[in-house]
Amino acid sequence: MSQAQQRASISAIIITKNEEQILPECLASLDWVDEIIVVDSGSTDNTVNIAQTAGAKVYINAEWPGFGKQKQLAQRYATKDWILAIDADEVITEPLKQSILDVLANPSEKTLFILRRTTWVFGRFLKHSGWYDKIIRVYPREFTGYNDALVHEKIIEPQGCKKQTLDGDMLHYSYRDLHQYLVKSAFYAKSWADGRQARGKKSSIGQGITHAIGCFLKMYLLKRGFLDGKQGFLIAVLSAHSTFVKYADLWIRDNDSRAN
């Protein structure tokens, strides 16, 4: 009997758009899962071909509904007992793979499993700055799933569930260079402002300044970003800028006479 037959089965779900840089490494780190589901939102690079060549089941949904709903769609395509939710710029390490396989060998149906994630930023993995985080990514398929959030989506935690942190890190290659950071940051800021505007929320320049300063102090001092060297300082400054931008975007929408 094969290892897959001796344990609970698992689907990896990934949403993509123009992810050809890291996707091959991501998919290679998933050669042990039973099924890979990719939902693409209109890539113009080689993303879809890379996924298909690796044996993934690829579906296209170009009408972007937000991160939460796109991941819900990916989960609906999945057919295995458990879900591993992974982004196209993330890589499962060997120790983490073994931890997940240990879970599947004796699964607990009401437990959500937390992965440690370390992010590569401008030349090093950050171990502080709030960027060495923990995030729920492994869970029973029929037990829960993602919420509807446009951005910063999360796994819904059902009443009575248990949570357990797994050994081993997931590697996150989020930003190749400053241009990519700024592009991603602008997209996240717009999605945040879209969500707030839809709920009738307003903002002010003062809020933007206050939250930006708070962001920098939290990341660089409270989260000990100074221990991450120059990269820690840079990411704290950039995160403060991104925080200001999202509040400014919302304020502009409410104050631009052409939009009214």
Side-chain angles (χ1 to χ4, degrees):
M1 183 179 293
S2 68
Q3 182 185 46
Q5 292 174 316
Q6 294 175 9
R7 58 166 173 80
S9 60
I10 188 166
S11 303
I13 61 171
I14 311 172
I15 64 173
T16 59
K17 184 173 183 180
N18 295 334
E19 298 285 359
E20 66 180 6
Q21 296 294 325
I22 307 299
L23 183 59
E25 191 173 352
C26 170
L27 294 171
S29 75
L30 299 173
D31 60 356
W32 51 277
V33 305
D34 303 292
E35 175 183 65
I36 300 175
I37 302 294
V38 172
V39 176
D40 188 80
S41 56
S43 291
T44 56
D45 65 1
N46 203 35
T47 293
V48 170
N49 183 57
I50 290 170
Q52 290 173 334
T53 300
K57 299 176 182 177
V58 179
Y59 304 88
I60 307 297
N61 183 41
E63 296 296 325
W64 178 248
F67 284 93
K69 290 186 177 181
Q70 192 82 330
K71 289 187 176 181
Q72 291 173 13
L73 178 60
Q75 183 165 328
R76 287 198 292 271
Y77 286 123
T79 63
K80 305 307 178 183
D81 303 323
W82 284 71
I83 296 292
L84 165 60
I86 182 170
D87 292 342
D89 57 3
E90 295 171 340
V91 175
I92 301 296
T93 61
E94 189 65 27
L96 179 54
K97 164 189 168 180
Q98 190 55 55
S99 294
I100 298 172
L101 288 174
D102 289 344
V103 166
L104 297 177
N106 187 25
S108 176
E109 292 302 323
K110 293 187 178 181
T111 302
L112 313 180
F113 291 91
I114 299 168
L115 279 57
R116 295 185 178 92
R117 179 175 62 173
T118 180
T119 301
W120 178 266
V121 176
F122 308 138
R124 73 184 292 173
F125 284 111
L126 300 185
K127 293 297 185 180
H128 307 281
S129 305
W131 282 48
Y132 184 50
D133 59 354
K134 295 180 179 180
I135 187 167
I136 297 169
R137 289 295 188 84
V138 175
Y139 53 92
R141 178 175 58 86
E142 296 186 355
F143 183 55
T144 190
Y146 277 91
N147 61 19
D148 292 340
L150 292 175
V151 66
H152 302 313
E153 70 287 357
K154 294 182 179 179
I155 297 294
I156 298 168
E157 300 180 21
Q159 186 174 4
C161 72
K162 298 178 181 179
K163 293 186 285 186
Q164 180 180 330
T165 301
L166 297 178
D167 294 329
D169 285 351
M170 179 167 64
L171 308 181
H172 185 205
Y173 296 94
S174 184
Y175 305 113
R176 297 187 301 274
D177 50 40
L178 185 58
H179 176 264
Q180 188 194 27
Y181 174 89
L182 293 173
V183 170
K184 279 191 173 184
S185 175
F187 178 75
Y188 291 142
K190 180 182 182 302
S191 296
W192 181 89
D194 286 344
R196 298 280 288 188
Q197 185 179 42
R199 297 195 301 273
K201 302 294 185 179
K202 296 185 178 182
S203 180
S204 70
I205 295 299
Q207 281 183 307
I209 294 171
T210 300
H211 283 277
I213 293 173
C215 175
F216 177 84
L217 294 176
K218 180 180 180 180
M219 290 185 65
Y220 197 65
L221 297 180
L222 295 181
K223 298 292 186 179
R224 300 188 297 169
F226 57 86
L227 296 178
D228 285 322
K230 294 178 180 177
Q231 286 90 343
F233 176 77
L234 181 57
I235 201 63
V237 170
L238 290 171
S239 296
H241 167 265
S242 300
T243 297
F244 175 78
V245 166
K246 68 184 185 182
Y247 282 92
D249 184 359
L250 188 56
W251 177 82
I252 289 169
R253 297 179 189 202
D254 192 47
N255 288 272
D256 188 346
S257 60
R258 292 172 300 178
N260 296 322

